Amino acid sequence: DIQMTQSPSTLSASVGDRVTITCRASQRISTWLAWFQQKPGKAPNLLIYKASSLESGVPSRFSGSGSGTEFTLTISSLQPDDFATYYCQQYYSWFTFGPGTKLEIK
Amino acid sequence: EVQLLESGGGLVQSGGSLRLSCAASGFRFSSYAMTWVRQAPGRGLEWVSAISGSGGSTNYADSVKGRFTISRDNSKNTLYLQINSLRAEDTAVFYCAKATGDLGAEQTFDYWGQGTLVTVSS
């Protein structure tokens, strides 16, 4: 089974900051990686698929990069609505989610 | 507009059973794989099971294999999850989600329902 890790587990930042979250896979997954945003009490929302493709309707301040085993999600200028938990997911071999990164207001 | 509406959750005793349903609308249901993902209170997301558009192919996480059964009725645009031999650690919100294509190709999940809570009491 493919295992996913994320760092950091918690990130404190301010509105306007540029932030980066890292996701690593236990084996190479090409670019079969997605990023989801989840707010408390709500379902996850797809942000990025195939490592770097922006889902329709997602603001352009979100971007993804990487291939193989290391991936990043970057938010270029944090907005108040962005404080949430972010999960990466591999879909190269069935599906595995990372443990999540909670983005908090500093 | 794609809509997914789960139902069937509730409080059940350890060892009991439940059948979750997910009513889908707004897309050609039979053309897409569907999946169940669960989230225990305060925890992360865990993929549970997936089924192909035709219903002919299924897969399960090791943690639920042998106890959970995924199925679908394409005539009713409805996805199901039969959960047997429930354990306390199965307590979670269960989400259904639509895949971006059919099973067998690399697909992620683009639409999610609001979730249904399953609580297992010991």
Side-chain angles (χ1 to χ4, degrees), chain B residues 5-89:
Chain B
L5 185 62
E6 301 96 336
S7 60
L11 177 63
V12 61
Q13 284 194 324
S14 180
S17 299
L18 275 179
R19 188 175 83 155
L20 307 183
S21 300
C22 172
S25 61
F27 64 102
R28 183 175 288 183
F29 185 66
S30 60
S31 294
Y32 294 89
M34 296 293 293
T35 192
W36 289 97
V37 174
R38 68 181 177 180
Q39 186 169 37
R43 307 295 295 273
L45 301 169
E46 179 189 15
W47 172 71
V48 169
S49 183
I51 186 168
S52 64
S54 68
S57 179
T58 60
N59 199 34
Y60 300 89
D62 288 343
S63 58
V64 307
K65 208 169 285 185
R67 296 190 301 122
F68 290 16
T69 302
I70 192 172
S71 62
R72 64 193 295 161
D73 185 338
N74 286 345
S75 69
K76 295 181 179 179
N77 286 356
T78 302
L79 174 72
Y80 302 100
L81 185 69
Q82 178 69 40
I83 309 175
N84 297 330
S85 303
L86 277 157
R87 308 164 179 167
E89 56 264 35

Side-chain angles (χ1 to χ4, degrees), chain A residues 42-97:
Chain A
K42 300 294 187 181
N45 181 47
L46 178 64
L47 301 175
I48 301 283
Y49 62 96
K50 213 163 184 300
S52 60
S53 296
L54 194 67
E55 175 71 351
S56 176
V58 174
S60 59
R61 63 181 179 272
F62 291 92
S63 63
S65 65
S67 67
T69 62
E70 187 156 333
F71 303 86
T72 59
L73 173 71
T74 299
I75 309 173
S76 60
S77 178
L78 272 173
Q79 299 302 301
D81 191 49
D82 300 338
F83 293 95
T85 299
Y86 293 85
Y87 295 94
C88 62
Q89 178 216 33
Q90 69 81 18
Y91 52 105
Y92 174 77
S93 175
W94 299 106
F95 313 101
T96 314
F97 291 93

